[in-house]
Amino acid sequence: MPIPVILQVAIPAPLYQLFDYLPPKHVDPASVQVGARVLVPFGRGRSCGVVMGITDRSDFDRSKLKRASEVLDTEPLLPVDSLAFLSWAAAYYQHPIGEVVSYALPVRLRKGEIPLSLCQPGWCLSADGESIDLDQLKRAPKQRSLLQFFRDQPGCRSKDEVYRECGEGRSALKALIDKGWLRPCEVAPRPMEECCYEAVVGPELNDDQQSAVDAVAAGTDQFGVFLLDGVTGSGKTEVYLTLIEQVLAAGRQVLVLVPEIGLTPQLLRRFTKRISTTIALLHSGLSDRERELAWHAARSGQAPLVLGTRSALFTPLQNLGLIVVDEEHDLSFKQQDGFRFSARDLAVVRAQRAECPVMLGSATPSLESLGNGIKGRYRRLPLKQRAGGAKPPKIDLLDIRSVRLDAGVSPTLMRLIEDELAKQNQVLLFLNRRGYAPVITCHDCGWISLCRRCDARMTLHRASNLLWCHHCGSQRRVDPVCPECGQDDLRPLGQGTERVEEMFSQRLPDTALARIDRDATRRKGSLEKLLADIDAGKYSLLLGTQMLAKGHHFPHVTLVAILDVDLGLFGADYRAAERMAQLIVQVAGRAGRAEKPGRVLIQTRHPDHPLLQTLIHEGYGAFAQQALQERREVGYPPYSYHALLRAEATKEEEPRRFLDQVVELVNTQLAADVELWGPVPAPMERRAGRYRAHLLLQAVERSQLHRLLSQLLPKLQKLPAARRVRWSLDVDPQEMY
Ligand code: ADP
Ligand code: ZN
Ligand code: ZN
């Protein structure tokens, strides 16, 4: 009797194991492929899982195994190397394997739907349609304009595009098809950016850039991590582009990861202009269909270049030859909920498995990466100067102690702004706080606008007349009178971007100001439009939050002012200083990126703060050295390894009780080589109506930490208090909130 084939299936559920199933009755067991999706009975319903392995053994009685109900793919959807990588990631982050595998799939495929075909049906002009005189259609304006649409941009147009052009009615389309002027065709998919023109040749690389390229190009068949450490505007992107061209020319695929909001049209244009290949774009701004099409194009190799945000890391690829992580210090590479992975760290692992180089680039490298450079694991490639003759900006502190500010702007700064505007230059103002004011208060009784669900204040948004908690999303209308005492003297305290904008519209009414924050750019496409208008010189004043600080290139900006640096100087998190320094340097880097020199002013009430002093006089490199030294002294990452266990519950005592049980468990039964800190209440103890606490696990070696975690996790779920809390584990946490 043949041994039945047992499918080991990863199912998206919060459980750490694979599940064994028999193949469906009607399916030849030998035809089932590892990496194919299967529909299986699970719990009370059915679930779509992925076959991770096929074996003849099970820990369960074979007669009790259920049968899968359907095999969805005849070919593996995820290749074996992807499955192995995902398993590794699941084990490293101690996250349920089924959820990790499911995360790696496009949304429709997670749900068990049929993969989209890369080609879309569409239409193009027939020979008649091309030659016909448009005047023949004088009486049918809709048909005429549709025909014109096809003529304006010759080639095939997809169904979606044509429908969009037609608007509501489709009778004109039908008429043109009936007349034989349009014929059906297959259209190459969007949103892949196809370059049909000759690529533009880039500038000649300077010596630093060339050495960086050479260092990587010397070993494209082997794993190596390269840290491209170059000030803003030093030509990092040129280095990426040159390397990418070389790797593509060798017939291999390239994966480029950028931060969440770093994937600007500017960057994309730069890539499409320079590299004549099909680019698969993968980011959160796309529809599920668009993303899936790009995913297929990447997976099949049809798009040799893949450009995306953190989740693009899991795209299956053919013959991967290079990974680039741009702005590697950026926090958005870390997923902060669910499967809490770091795309930067996993990019290194993926490159290692694929035996190819990975380049991490930043003007402000993370202390982790610099630490790895010092340890010799990463090779640091410095770009010391701005490329093409642009001068580094000059940074000065503006002491605002006992200075009267108008919406956060000192008179000195105001004067400098006006000077710069008079010279027809652009000015960029940075304030990392949206809304009108971070809190309102009653002048009579001292009431302040606290969130009812969080230990936090509610921000006033004046345009919408709402008090808004930025932590839980609660909103309420602003009362005209104090909810406490009934007096009508409510005052906003402090300022957000909305208030600064209002002040400038009053004081400099003739100056066009572009505000860039999440509120002002909520509509799809509005950020792109603002950026294009800034580029075209329609605005002289740019005001924004960190959305402005990242990646953009503003060649006409000559003055950058950071309105309130003190917000970040005294953060509770041990990484606060690192983040602040990165932000300052990144914002400062927006100035003087072209021929015009730039100046940067930082308003502060703590001009003697050592962080500011080191940063300004000696630069980010010196700051980072100092910060690393401090970390070493206290034994914090990168000189130790952390995992953070978070717990939350509506009852105040529950998270703590659970974490106390964890501590007890570790101390009595498990490893002694991991230090436990806590449990302590989270910095914001109550958020969205839940009390939160956490426990920090720290080890000198990564392996110690992982040994403990893999023993701890199965036991954690069985602790008596576990059922009364929501808990999550964050390996290599980036934030301690
Ligand atoms: P980064 O990515 O480090 O911020 P970019 O690659 O965007 O820097 O380069 C900044 C500017 O300098 C761009 O306008 C780019 O075209 C230009 N540039 C880069 N390298 C060179 C070079 N070798 N010669 C002349 N201009 C260059
Ligand atoms: Zn009051
Ligand atoms: Zn809240």
Side-chain angles (χ1 to χ4, degrees):
M1 206 177 91
I3 300 164
V5 179
I6 292 163
L7 311 180
Q8 300 173 309
V9 182
I11 292 174
L15 297 162
Y16 291 86
Q17 77 271 32
L18 298 175
F19 294 85
D20 292 349
Y21 286 91
L22 299 171
K25 264 227 169 73
H26 56 278
V27 170
D28 170 13
S31 73
V32 184
Q33 305 251 351
V34 170
R37 292 170 303 155
V38 284
L39 277 185
V40 294
F42 188 73
R44 274 189 226 139
R46 287 210 300 182
S47 190
C48 173
V50 172
V51 179
M52 302 293 286
I54 300 178
T55 171
D56 56 10
R57 248 185 295 169
S58 174
D59 295 339
F60 295 93
D61 186 352
R62 220 165 264 174
S63 62
K64 294 216 175 99
L65 289 185
K66 292 188 185 154
R67 279 189 186 281
S69 30
E70 216 175 315
V71 178
L72 296 175
D73 307 298
T74 50
E75 300 275 299
L77 195 59
L78 291 170
V80 174
D81 63 335
S82 284
L83 298 178
F85 176 55
L86 293 170
S87 301
W88 190 94
Y92 182 82
Y93 289 105
Q94 300 286 337
H95 197 75
I97 175 71
E99 291 186 355
V100 171
V101 172
S102 168
Y103 179 83
L105 291 174
V107 173
R108 286 180 63 264
L109 302 184
R110 283 177 209 168
K111 296 186 199 147
E113 291 181 43
I114 300 169
L116 293 173
S117 154
L118 269 181
C119 289
Q120 264 202 69
W123 294 274
C124 61
L125 291 173
S126 66
D128 283 351
E130 275 181 34
S131 57
I132 198 82
D133 183 359
L134 280 178
D135 283 341
Q136 278 195 19
L137 290 172
K138 249 192 230 145
R139 304 248 193 95
K142 281 200 179 142
Q143 291 180 36
R144 185 188 158 125
S145 92
L146 189 56
L147 208 58
Q148 185 68 53
F149 165 73
F150 275 92
R151 284 191 182 175
D152 285 347
Q153 247 186 61
C156 303
R157 315 303 288 269
S158 74
K159 213 165 90 180
D160 291 349
E161 260 180 295
V162 176
Y163 284 176
R164 212 176 303 137
E165 177 66 21
C166 291
E168 287 295 300
R170 307 223 172 113
S171 55
L173 174 64
K174 188 163 179 307
L176 293 180
I177 294 169
D178 289 346
K179 286 176 186 159
W181 293 346
L182 291 182
R183 62 179 175 80
C185 62
E186 289 277 297
V187 186
R190 309 269 281 148
M192 270 144 286
E193 306 291 324
E194 192 109 31
C195 316
C196 21
Y197 36 79
E198 284 283 289
V200 175
V201 179
E204 199 176 317
L205 300 184
N206 62 34
D207 291 349
D208 278 350
Q209 287 172 314
Q210 192 61 51
S211 333
V213 168
D214 293 344
V216 181
T220 47
D221 287 328
Q222 67 197 52
F223 169 63
V225 191
F226 298 89
L227 179 61
L228 187 65
D229 178 359
V231 296
T232 48
S234 59
K236 292 184 292 298
T237 313
E238 289 302 326
V239 172
Y240 307 150
L241 288 168
T242 308
L243 276 169
I244 291 168
E245 274 173 332
Q246 292 184 6
V247 175
L248 292 177
R252 304 182 70 177
Q253 261 185 310
V254 177
L255 172 64
V256 179
L257 297 178
V258 296
E260 207 56 62
I261 52 178
L263 191 47
T264 58
Q266 258 175 348
L267 182 76
L268 183 59
R269 221 174 304 129
R270 213 161 147 196
F271 272 76
T272 52
K273 235 175 31 203
R274 284 286 301 286
I275 295 180
S276 55
T277 195
T278 306
I279 304 178
L281 265 186
L282 286 156
H283 60 86
S284 53
L286 303 174
S287 70
D288 289 347
R289 285 181 66 89
E290 288 173 319
R291 266 185 91 107
E292 187 184 327
L293 287 171
W295 188 84
H296 288 302
R299 172 178 168 276
S300 65
Q302 188 173 327
L305 178 56
V306 182
L307 187 55
T309 47
R310 63 172 179 259
S311 60
L313 173 76
F314 299 106
T315 318
L317 297 167
Q318 313 264 340
N319 198 10
L320 179 61
L322 172 70
I323 304 180
V324 173
V325 182
D326 188 25
E327 309 290 357
E328 64 90 29
H329 65 280
D330 197 285
L331 204 54
S332 73
F333 287 121
K334 178 82 200 272
Q335 175 132 307
Q336 305 281 21
D337 55 6
F339 173 31
R340 294 173 164 81
F341 67 97
S342 156
R344 176 199 59 212
D345 296 349
L346 281 184
V348 172
V349 176
R350 185 162 184 185
Q352 186 169 29
R353 302 177 73 97
E355 293 177 17
C356 75
V358 51
M359 176 169 263
L360 313 178
S362 176
T364 52
S366 61
L367 297 187
E368 270 83 0
S369 294
L370 288 171
N372 276 316
I374 293 169
K375 288 177 199 158
R377 291 192 194 140
Y378 295 2
R379 173 148 170 215
R380 196 171 146 256
L381 304 171
L383 301 181
K384 292 180 284 290
Q385 268 147 32
R386 284 194 155 188
K391 293 270 171 303
K394 187 174 168 338
I395 305 183
D396 290 306
L397 296 178
L398 243 174
D399 186 351
I400 52 168
R401 280 173 295 188
S402 67
V403 172
R404 255 189 92 92
L405 305 179
D406 188 0
V409 176
S410 64
T412 316
L413 177 57
M414 196 68 189
R415 208 172 48 246
L416 291 165
I417 293 173
E418 285 175 308
D419 287 353
E420 219 53 44
L421 293 174
K423 286 186 254 170
Q424 312 293 322
N425 290 327
Q426 281 177 337
V427 173
L428 186 154
L429 303 175
F430 175 82
L431 177 62
N432 210 7
R433 204 154 50 184
R434 64 199 172 90
Y436 188 85
V439 63
I440 59 174
T441 179
C442 169
H443 197 59
D444 280 298
C445 76
W447 169 86
I448 55 174
S449 54
L450 294 178
C451 177
R452 292 183 190 127
R453 307 174 67 216
C454 306
D455 295 332
R457 294 156 167 195
M458 293 185 96
T459 302
L460 172 64
H461 286 250
R462 191 167 255 182
S464 46
N465 198 33
L466 287 173
L467 284 172
W468 192 347
C469 174
H470 289 179
H471 302 282
C472 70
S474 296
Q475 292 182 337
R476 56 179 199 256
R477 297 239 140 250
V478 183
D479 289 323
V481 296
C482 171
E484 206 61 47
C485 71
Q487 296 297 314
D488 63 356
D489 195 1
L490 292 176
R491 299 182 185 184
L493 284 187
Q495 51 275 323
T497 47
E498 231 183 71
R499 189 174 202 174
V500 179
E501 179 182 27
E502 179 193 77
M503 184 275 285
F504 276 104
S505 69
Q506 286 159 5
R507 291 195 48 186
L508 305 175
D510 299 327
T511 304
L513 180 147
R515 195 180 101 211
I516 299 196
D517 56 28
R518 259 202 284 154
D519 301 319
T521 57
R522 218 167 276 277
R523 246 181 319 116
K524 205 177 166 180
S526 54
L527 176 62
E528 287 73 18
K529 175 144 191 349
L530 269 174
L531 291 173
D533 286 347
I534 291 170
D535 213 34
K538 287 192 191 162
Y539 295 101
S540 323
L541 262 178
L542 325 180
L543 163 67
T545 56
Q546 51 177 330
M547 279 184 100
L548 259 188
K550 298 194 176 172
H552 309 296
H553 185 59
F554 300 118
H556 310 297
V557 167
T558 51
L559 173 63
V560 166
I562 299 176
L563 296 187
D564 191 350
V565 81
D566 300 341
L567 280 174
L569 284 178
F570 303 97
D573 200 315
Y574 72 89
R575 287 176 206 269
E578 177 187 356
R579 301 255 176 263
M580 194 65 209
Q582 289 165 342
L583 197 57
I584 291 174
V585 175
Q586 294 287 345
V587 177
R590 302 309 113 201
R593 282 168 69 96
E595 310 78 49
K596 300 177 183 173
R599 177 158 191 212
V600 179
L601 290 168
I602 301 177
Q603 294 195 135
T604 177
R605 289 192 175 80
H606 304 275
D608 304 324
H609 195 287
L611 156 63
L612 290 175
Q613 287 300 328
T614 309
L615 202 56
I616 284 159
H617 297 296
E618 297 166 66
Y620 182 80
F623 158 78
Q625 290 270 324
Q626 206 171 304
L628 274 170
Q629 185 55 36
E630 283 168 23
R631 298 260 185 106
R632 187 201 290 274
E633 279 158 18
V634 294
Y636 266 0
Y639 300 98
S640 65
Y641 298 92
H642 277 171
L644 189 66
L645 185 61
R646 299 186 176 93
E648 56 173 55
T650 44
K651 286 219 184 90
E652 192 171 354
E653 64 284 0
E654 297 292 1
R656 198 162 175 128
R657 182 172 303 156
F658 168 69
L659 294 175
D660 279 336
Q661 290 178 0
V662 175
V663 172
E664 168 82 16
L665 176 68
V666 174
N667 286 342
T668 55
Q669 298 181 28
L670 303 170
D673 51 7
V674 173
E675 274 186 272
L676 302 182
W677 299 91
V680 292
M684 184 186 297
E685 186 176 9
R686 203 168 53 101
R687 181 167 172 175
R690 295 172 156 272
Y691 290 87
R692 304 160 344 128
H694 56 224
L695 175 68
L696 185 67
L697 297 88
Q698 177 175 317
V700 180
E701 300 292 336
R702 212 187 270 287
S703 54
Q704 297 168 332
L705 189 60
H706 275 83
R707 200 170 329 118
L708 172 68
L709 291 177
S710 53
Q711 292 169 352
L712 179 62
L713 266 271
K715 297 194 166 139
L716 219 55
Q717 290 166 311
K718 297 190 188 116
L719 288 173
R723 268 174 299 128
R724 289 188 288 274
V725 298
R726 273 196 213 151
W727 61 266
S728 64
L729 181 73
D730 194 348
V731 176
D732 305 329
Q734 287 293 314
E735 287 181 305
M736 294 295 176
Y737 64 82

Coordinates of all heavy atoms in Angstrom, one line a residue, residues 22-64:
L22 N -4.3 15.7 4.5 CA -4.1 14.8 3.3 C -4.6 15.6 2.1 O -5.4 16.5 2.2 CB -5.0 13.6 3.5 CG -4.7 12.7 4.8 CD1 -5.8 11.7 5.0 CD2 -3.4 12.1 4.6
P23 N -4.0 15.2 0.9 CA -4.5 15.9 -0.3 C -5.9 15.6 -0.6 O -6.5 14.6 -0.1 CB -3.6 15.2 -1.4 CG -2.6 14.3 -0.7 CD -3.1 14.1 0.7
P24 N -6.6 16.4 -1.3 CA -8.0 16.1 -1.7 C -8.1 14.8 -2.4 O -7.2 14.3 -3.0 CB -8.4 17.3 -2.6 CG -7.3 18.3 -2.4 CD -6.1 17.6 -2.0
K25 N -9.3 14.2 -2.2 CA -9.5 12.8 -2.8 C -9.3 12.8 -4.3 O -8.6 11.9 -4.9 CB -10.9 12.4 -2.5 CG -11.1 11.5 -1.3 CD -12.0 10.3 -1.6 CE -11.9 9.3 -0.5 NZ -12.6 9.7 0.7
H26 N -9.8 13.8 -5.0 CA -9.8 13.8 -6.5 C -8.4 14.2 -7.1 O -8.3 14.3 -8.3 CB -10.9 14.7 -7.0 CG -10.7 16.1 -6.5 ND1 -11.2 16.5 -5.2 CD2 -10.1 17.2 -7.0 CE1 -10.9 17.8 -5.0 NE2 -10.3 18.2 -6.1
V27 N -7.4 14.5 -6.2 CA -6.2 15.0 -6.7 C -5.1 14.0 -6.6 O -5.0 13.3 -5.6 CB -5.8 16.3 -5.9 CG1 -4.3 16.7 -6.2 CG2 -6.7 17.4 -6.2
D28 N -4.3 13.8 -7.7 CA -3.2 12.9 -7.6 C -2.1 13.5 -6.7 O -1.6 14.6 -6.9 CB -2.6 12.9 -9.1 CG -1.2 12.1 -9.1 OD1 -0.9 11.5 -8.0 OD2 -0.5 12.2 -10.1
P29 N -1.9 12.8 -5.6 CA -1.0 13.3 -4.5 C 0.4 13.7 -5.1 O 1.0 14.7 -4.6 CB -0.8 12.1 -3.6 CG -2.0 11.2 -3.8 CD -2.4 11.4 -5.3
A30 N 0.8 13.0 -6.1 CA 2.2 13.3 -6.7 C 2.2 14.7 -7.4 O 3.2 15.3 -7.6 CB 2.6 12.2 -7.6
S31 N 1.0 15.2 -7.7 CA 0.9 16.5 -8.5 C 1.0 17.7 -7.5 O 1.2 18.8 -8.0 CB -0.3 16.5 -9.3 OG -1.4 16.7 -8.5
V32 N 0.8 17.5 -6.2 CA 0.8 18.6 -5.3 C 2.2 19.2 -5.2 O 3.1 18.4 -4.9 CB 0.2 18.3 -4.0 CG1 0.0 19.5 -3.1 CG2 -1.2 17.6 -4.2
Q33 N 2.3 20.5 -5.3 CA 3.7 21.1 -5.3 C 3.9 21.9 -4.0 O 2.9 22.6 -3.5 CB 3.8 22.1 -6.4 CG 3.5 21.5 -7.8 CD 4.8 21.3 -8.6 OE1 5.9 21.9 -8.2 NE2 4.7 20.6 -9.7
V34 N 5.1 21.8 -3.4 CA 5.4 22.7 -2.3 C 5.3 24.1 -2.9 O 5.8 24.4 -3.9 CB 6.8 22.4 -1.8 CG1 7.3 23.4 -0.8 CG2 6.8 21.0 -1.2
G35 N 4.7 25.0 -2.1 CA 4.6 26.4 -2.5 C 3.2 26.7 -3.2 O 2.9 27.9 -3.5
A36 N 2.4 25.7 -3.3 CA 1.1 25.9 -3.9 C 0.1 26.2 -2.7 O 0.4 25.9 -1.6 CB 0.6 24.6 -4.6
R37 N -1.0 26.9 -3.1 CA -2.0 27.2 -2.1 C -3.0 26.1 -2.0 O -3.3 25.5 -3.1 CB -2.7 28.5 -2.4 CG -1.8 29.7 -2.2 CD -2.5 31.0 -2.8 NE -2.9 30.7 -4.2 CZ -3.9 31.4 -4.8 NH1 -4.6 32.3 -4.1 NH2 -4.2 31.1 -6.0
V38 N -3.5 25.8 -0.8 CA -4.6 24.8 -0.7 C -5.7 25.4 0.2 O -5.4 26.2 1.1 CB -4.1 23.5 0.0 CG1 -3.3 22.7 -1.0 CG2 -3.3 23.9 1.2
L39 N -6.9 25.0 -0.2 CA -8.0 25.3 0.7 C -8.2 24.2 1.7 O -8.2 23.0 1.2 CB -9.3 25.5 -0.1 CG -9.5 26.9 -0.7 CD1 -10.9 26.9 -1.4 CD2 -9.4 28.0 0.3
V40 N -8.3 24.5 3.0 CA -8.4 23.4 3.9 C -9.5 23.7 5.0 O -9.7 24.9 5.2 CB -7.0 23.2 4.7 CG1 -6.0 22.7 3.8 CG2 -6.6 24.5 5.4
P41 N -10.1 22.7 5.5 CA -11.0 22.9 6.6 C -10.2 23.3 7.8 O -9.2 22.7 8.1 CB -11.7 21.6 6.8 CG -10.8 20.6 6.2 CD -10.0 21.3 5.1
F42 N -10.6 24.4 8.4 CA -9.9 24.9 9.6 C -10.8 25.5 10.6 O -11.6 26.4 10.2 CB -8.8 25.9 9.2 CG -7.9 26.3 10.3 CD1 -6.9 25.4 10.7 CD2 -8.0 27.5 10.9 CE1 -6.1 25.7 11.8 CE2 -7.1 27.9 11.9 CZ -6.2 27.0 12.4
G43 N -10.8 25.1 11.8 CA -11.8 25.6 12.8 C -13.2 25.3 12.3 O -13.4 24.2 11.8
R44 N -14.0 26.3 12.3 CA -15.3 26.0 11.8 C -15.5 26.4 10.4 O -16.6 26.1 9.8 CB -16.3 26.9 12.6 CG -16.7 26.2 13.9 CD -17.8 27.0 14.6 NE -17.5 27.1 16.0 CZ -17.7 28.1 16.7 NH1 -18.3 29.2 16.2 NH2 -17.4 28.2 18.0
G45 N -14.5 26.9 9.8 CA -14.6 27.3 8.4 C -13.5 26.7 7.5 O -13.0 25.6 7.8
R46 N -13.2 27.4 6.4 CA -12.2 27.0 5.6 C -11.1 28.1 5.5 O -11.4 29.3 5.7 CB -12.7 26.8 4.2 CG -13.5 25.5 4.1 CD -13.5 24.9 2.7 NE -14.0 25.8 1.7 CZ -14.0 25.4 0.4 NH1 -13.6 24.2 0.0 NH2 -14.5 26.3 -0.5
S47 N -9.9 27.7 5.3 CA -8.8 28.7 5.2 C -7.9 28.4 4.0 O -7.9 27.3 3.5 CB -8.1 28.5 6.6 OG -7.2 29.5 6.7
C48 N -7.3 29.4 3.6 CA -6.4 29.3 2.5 C -5.0 29.3 3.0 O -4.5 30.2 3.6 CB -6.6 30.4 1.5 SG -5.3 30.4 0.2
G49 N -4.3 28.2 2.8 CA -2.9 28.0 3.3 C -1.9 27.7 2.2 O -2.3 27.6 1.0
V50 N -0.7 27.7 2.6 CA 0.4 27.4 1.6 C 1.1 26.1 2.0 O 1.4 25.9 3.2 CB 1.4 28.5 1.5 CG1 2.5 28.2 0.6 CG2 0.7 29.8 1.0
V51 N 1.3 25.2 1.1 CA 2.0 23.9 1.3 C 3.5 24.3 1.5 O 4.2 24.8 0.6 CB 1.8 22.9 0.2 CG1 2.6 21.7 0.5 CG2 0.4 22.7 -0.1
M52 N 4.0 24.0 2.8 CA 5.4 24.3 3.1 C 6.2 23.1 2.9 O 7.5 23.2 2.8 CB 5.5 24.8 4.5 CG 4.6 26.0 4.8 SD 5.2 27.5 4.0 CE 6.7 27.9 4.9
G53 N 5.6 21.9 3.0 CA 6.4 20.7 2.8 C 5.5 19.5 2.6 O 4.3 19.6 2.8
I54 N 6.0 18.5 2.0 CA 5.3 17.2 1.8 C 6.1 16.1 2.4 O 7.3 16.0 2.2 CB 5.1 17.0 0.3 CG1 4.3 18.2 -0.3 CG2 4.3 15.7 0.0 CD1 4.1 18.2 -1.8
T55 N 5.4 15.3 3.2 CA 6.1 14.3 4.0 C 5.3 13.0 4.1 O 4.1 13.0 3.7 CB 6.4 14.9 5.4 OG1 6.9 13.8 6.2 CG2 5.2 15.4 6.1
D56 N 5.9 12.0 4.6 CA 5.1 10.8 4.8 C 4.8 10.5 6.3 O 4.3 9.5 6.7 CB 5.7 9.6 4.1 CG 7.1 9.4 4.7 OD1 7.5 10.1 5.6 OD2 7.9 8.6 4.1
R57 N 5.2 11.5 7.1 CA 5.1 11.3 8.5 C 4.3 12.4 9.2 O 4.4 13.5 8.8 CB 6.5 11.2 9.2 CG 6.8 9.8 9.7 CD 8.1 9.8 10.4 NE 9.2 10.1 9.5 CZ 10.4 10.4 9.9 NH1 10.6 10.5 11.2 NH2 11.3 10.6 9.0
S58 N 3.5 12.0 10.2 CA 2.8 13.0 11.0 C 2.8 12.6 12.4 O 2.9 11.4 12.7 CB 1.4 13.1 10.5 OG 0.7 14.0 11.3
D59 N 2.8 13.6 13.3 CA 2.8 13.3 14.7 C 1.3 12.9 15.1 O 1.1 12.4 16.2 CB 3.1 14.5 15.5 CG 4.6 14.9 15.3 OD1 5.3 14.0 14.9 OD2 5.0 16.1 15.6
F60 N 0.4 13.1 14.2 CA -1.0 12.7 14.5 C -1.3 11.4 13.8 O -0.7 11.0 12.8 CB -1.9 13.8 13.9 CG -1.7 15.1 14.7 CD1 -0.8 16.0 14.2 CD2 -2.4 15.3 15.8 CE1 -0.6 17.2 14.8 CE2 -2.2 16.5 16.5 CZ -1.3 17.5 16.0
D61 N -2.3 10.8 14.3 CA -2.8 9.6 13.8 C -3.4 9.9 12.4 O -4.2 10.8 12.2 CB -4.0 9.1 14.7 CG -4.4 7.7 14.2 OD1 -4.0 7.3 13.1 OD2 -5.2 7.1 15.0
R62 N -2.8 9.1 11.4 CA -3.2 9.4 10.0 C -4.7 9.4 9.8 O -5.2 10.1 9.0 CB -2.5 8.4 9.1 CG -1.9 9.0 7.9 CD -1.0 8.0 7.3 NE 0.4 8.3 7.6 CZ 1.4 7.6 7.3 NH1 1.3 6.5 6.6 NH2 2.7 7.9 7.6
S63 N -5.3 8.5 10.5 CA -6.8 8.3 10.2 C -7.5 9.5 10.7 O -8.7 9.8 10.3 CB -7.3 7.1 10.9 OG -7.1 7.2 12.3
K64 N -6.9 10.3 11.6 CA -7.6 11.5 12.1 C -7.3 12.8 11.2 O -7.9 13.8 11.5 CB -7.2 11.8 13.5 CG -7.6 10.7 14.5 CD -7.9 11.3 15.9 CE -8.5 10.2 16.8 NZ -7.4 9.7 17.7

